[in-house]
Amino acid sequence: MSVITNTPAGPPEGVLGQPAESRKAAPATGLPATFDDGTEHRHSLGLLTADGTTDGGGSADSPVPALPAGADLRVVPARHPWRWVGTALVTLLVAGIAYSLATNPRWEWGVVAQWFTAQSVVNGLLETLKLTVIAGTLGFVLGFVLALMRLSASPLLVGVAWTFSWIFRSTPLLVQLLLWYNLGYLYEKISLGIPFTDVRFFEASTTTLISQFAAAVLGLSLNQAAYSAEIIRGGILSVDAGQLEAAAALGIPAWRRNTRIVLPQAMRAILPNAFNEIIGLVKGTSVVYVLAYSELFYTVQVIYNRTQQVLPLLLVATLWYVVITSVLSVAQYYIERHYSRGSVRNLPPTPWQRIRANLAPGRRPAHSAAPNPTTASPAAPQAAGQEITRKDLP
């Protein structure tokens, strides 16, 4: 980066003994036509070379003398030696890990390929996805209700919501799953009717209702709701209260204020943490193996207990979890990009746009910063003492 400083006009006497009339201002910029050593400045933003020409253009009405020895202007790129050292070390580390994975026969990649798409493994994967979708949906819906309760003016609603989050965030998920699965020991029957009377509309055995799947859904959903409530509450509180006051002053109904003004802005703060919770929920479904429910991890356990191929089967489960979380990460990127339209001037380029920009010569990614007022219009006059920065020089 080279910087050309527009210094204030000097005294009537010229620099280095030159007459004052020899110093002419460059047109359209206000920059002096000569440097302090008497060398002519042929272009307002160009660079003088050793042969007297400029790299930025300018008129050729008269020859320009070469710069004195040692006074040539050169753009020297910044050097980052430690960046190259770090890149080399990381490259060696990654190459070593890849070589170990490819050459160590104990990974048994053939066994991994054999079981990766086996029907039993795929069925366990589908059960994992089913638990994730159901528990995630119920957890975030209930968490949204709890967040609104925490923000309400009713002390009872605030107390109930706070107590719920406190209890379910204070106990391990494994304990909650076992408690729901053994609920029949505490209550033999579950009934629905009018409290404190003998009127019953529905009644069934607890062990019949609370199956392995129901216990897994209850445990995962309620645990997820406790964390989701705090995430949603924090996102709502991040929205400036002045916007709500302005919307209320305009007569916008409360429902539209919350759905059209608060929530779209709160989503920018909610989404990153919400997707972290969903990714954690995908991996958290592996805990339900204690209920002998045939999700992915339990299915893999059953297989390697029979075949004694522990590491390859664990690698099969690991790869499937990586695939699921990778898909969720891609979805997170595009959803966050959608909701960032109100906070950034230009949307960041997608990975596909970056690839096309890198492959096409002379093209840049779609995202570009706002124009610099000092470089957007080179012909605009600059005030005395103002610096002109050329960041786009080769």
Side-chain angles (χ1 to χ4, degrees):
M1 181 181 67
S2 63
V3 178
I4 301 175
T5 306
N6 184 11
T7 58
E13 296 79 17
V15 180
L16 297 181
Q18 294 181 359
E21 57 271 12
S22 64
R23 293 178 56 86
K24 299 180 294 182
T29 62
L31 291 172
T34 59
F35 291 105
D36 291 340
D37 58 357
T39 307
E40 266 193 64
H41 187 188
R42 289 292 305 278
H43 193 278
S44 61
L45 290 177
L47 295 180
L48 283 172
T49 58
D51 58 356
T53 60
T54 62
D55 63 348
S59 62
D61 52 356
S62 62
V64 179
L67 290 176
D72 57 331
L73 301 178
R74 294 181 301 173
V75 178
V76 180
R79 295 178 175 84
H80 305 281
W82 290 110
R83 180 187 301 175
W84 289 103
V85 171
T87 302
L89 291 177
V90 172
T91 302
L92 290 176
L93 179 62
V94 172
I97 294 175
Y99 179 79
S100 174
L101 292 175
T103 58
N104 191 344
R106 296 186 178 181
W107 285 105
E108 300 183 62
W109 291 105
V111 178
V112 173
Q114 173 188 352
W115 288 104
F116 188 74
T117 55
Q119 187 61 43
S120 56
V121 174
V122 173
N123 292 338
L125 174 65
L126 294 178
E127 294 299 324
T128 295
L129 294 176
K130 182 168 68 173
L131 283 177
T132 301
V133 172
I134 296 176
T137 303
L138 294 178
F140 275 93
V141 170
L142 181 57
F144 180 73
V145 175
L146 291 171
L148 296 181
M149 292 172 63
R150 284 291 304 273
L151 296 173
S152 68
S154 171
L156 178 61
L157 295 180
V158 173
V160 171
W162 183 89
T163 304
F164 180 93
S165 299
W166 171 59
I167 292 176
F168 283 92
R169 290 195 302 167
S170 302
T171 55
L173 177 59
L174 181 61
V175 175
Q176 297 177 31
L177 290 172
L178 293 175
L179 180 63
W180 288 114
Y181 189 59
N182 293 280
L183 189 63
Y185 177 77
L186 298 175
Y187 303 98
E188 295 182 359
K189 294 182 180 180
I190 296 178
S191 59
L192 178 64
I194 300 177
F196 310 111
T197 64
D198 295 332
V199 179
R200 298 289 183 271
F201 304 116
F202 172 80
E203 189 175 70
S205 174
T206 304
T207 55
T208 303
L209 291 178
I210 307 299
S211 60
Q212 296 168 325
F213 176 74
V217 169
L218 277 174
L220 294 173
S221 301
L222 296 179
N223 183 77
Q224 186 61 54
Y227 290 94
S228 303
E230 296 303 305
I231 294 173
I232 296 173
R233 184 175 69 91
I236 294 175
L237 292 177
S238 67
V239 180
D240 186 12
Q243 301 194 33
L244 280 176
E245 296 172 357
L250 292 174
I252 301 177
W255 176 253
R256 289 186 62 83
R257 291 200 301 266
N258 293 324
T259 56
R260 305 293 294 180
I261 297 176
V262 176
L263 282 182
Q265 298 181 74
M267 289 296 289
R268 294 198 295 267
I270 293 173
L271 280 174
N273 295 323
F275 269 94
N276 283 340
E277 287 297 319
I278 294 175
I279 291 174
L281 180 61
V282 172
K283 298 176 291 184
T285 56
S286 61
V287 182
V288 303
Y289 81 94
V290 297
L291 307 180
Y293 184 74
S294 57
E295 45 81 41
L296 178 60
F297 186 66
Y298 180 78
T299 302
V300 167
Q301 278 187 316
V302 171
I303 296 174
Y304 72 63
N305 285 332
R306 186 176 68 249
T307 63
Q308 300 302 313
Q309 296 169 327
V310 179
L311 287 178
L313 268 301
L314 289 177
L315 190 57
V316 168
T318 300
L319 292 177
W320 273 120
Y321 285 125
V322 169
V323 170
I324 297 173
T325 55
S326 299
V327 173
L328 289 174
S329 299
V330 172
Q332 175 185 356
Y333 173 82
Y334 282 98
I335 295 176
E336 287 185 2
R337 187 174 183 270
H338 171 77
Y339 280 100
S340 66
R341 291 178 301 175
S343 61
V344 296
R345 191 179 300 271
N346 296 313
L347 290 177
T350 63
W352 177 243
Q353 289 174 342
R354 291 179 183 272
I355 293 174
R356 288 191 304 174
N358 292 330
L359 294 179
R363 293 187 59 185
R364 293 183 179 180
H367 175 69
S368 60
N372 191 335
T374 61
T375 59
S377 184
Q382 303 294 330
Q386 186 175 3
E387 292 185 352
I388 302 175
T389 303
R390 292 296 306 274
K391 296 184 179 179
D392 56 343
L393 290 176

